Amino acid sequence: METMEYIILGRDIFAAASRLSVKKTADLKHYGLTPPQAEAILFFESHERARILDLKEAFKISHQSARTIVDRLHEKGYVCVEAAEYDGRAKIVHLTEEGEKICDEIKRLGHIAIEALTTNLSEEEKRDLLNILEKALTEF
């Protein structure tokens, strides 16, 4: 690949990520959520009985940042926090019924955004794109 092609590739990847980020932020703002809060909701939906510590490790953020995200979600009624039976200091987080509803909406919005981005691609090209991105991101 020539240097100019790398520059164009980098620019296009950044443009796609930027557009998705702007759309995601705007969509979530309607629900009073930030992108990290939405990602945390998706995390807790797929990790039953996860702890705040698990969120911290998965997101590679400080314990205080993870705690702040969970506190905000708790204030909004999207998660419940309870002490773990095995250790009262450990906090188990799970989605409330309202949290499950907003989780479904977050997924729906994400699906719409990705569909818009990939509308000109065939199903095979979409699968290829997914495989290429996963491969590229493994080492990055």
Side-chain angles (χ1 to χ4, degrees), residues 89-107:
R89 296 170 298 172
K91 303 300 180 205
I92 305 293
V93 182
H94 59 89
L95 296 180
T96 62
E97 188 175 317
E98 197 61 32
E100 290 174 6
K101 288 178 188 174
I102 199 70
C103 185
D104 289 342
E105 184 63 9
I106 291 166
K107 289 187 221 177

Side-chain angles (χ1 to χ4, degrees), residues 113-127:
I114 295 301
E115 273 297 316
L117 179 71
T118 61
T119 194
N120 293 326
L121 301 180
S122 70
E123 289 303 311
E124 183 179 350
E125 288 170 324
K126 289 175 187 178
R127 280 190 293 282

Side-chain angles (χ1 to χ4, degrees), residues 39-103:
E39 292 299 321
I41 288 172
L42 294 171
F43 175 82
F44 289 121
E45 188 237 3
S46 63
H47 295 83
E48 194 173 316
R49 301 206 45 84
R51 301 165 299 161
I52 293 174
L53 177 64
D54 298 322
L55 180 69
K56 168 195 177 271
E57 291 172 354
F59 283 26
K60 296 178 177 49
I61 57 176
S62 71
H63 183 79
Q64 183 59 41
S65 293
R67 182 73 206 192
T68 299
I69 291 170
V70 170
D71 287 346
R72 297 291 183 275
L73 293 176
H74 180 72
E75 290 167 8
K76 295 170 195 266
Y78 296 138
V79 299
C80 283
V81 182
E82 59 188 47
E85 296 170 4
Y86 57 87
D87 181 351
R89 296 170 298 172
K91 303 300 180 205
I92 305 293
V93 182
H94 59 89
L95 296 180
T96 62
E97 188 175 317
E98 197 61 32
E100 290 174 6
K101 288 178 188 174
I102 199 70
C103 185

Side-chain angles (χ1 to χ4, degrees), residues 9-19:
L9 176 62
R11 183 190 66 213
D12 288 350
I13 290 171
F14 182 77
S18 180
R19 288 178 191 168

Side-chain angles (χ1 to χ4, degrees), residues 22-35 76 109:
V22 167
K23 176 150 183 43
K24 180 179 188 176
T25 300
D27 288 346
L28 294 172
K29 189 174 184 179
H30 175 74
Y31 296 96
L33 290 170
T34 64
K76 295 170 195 266
L109 292 170

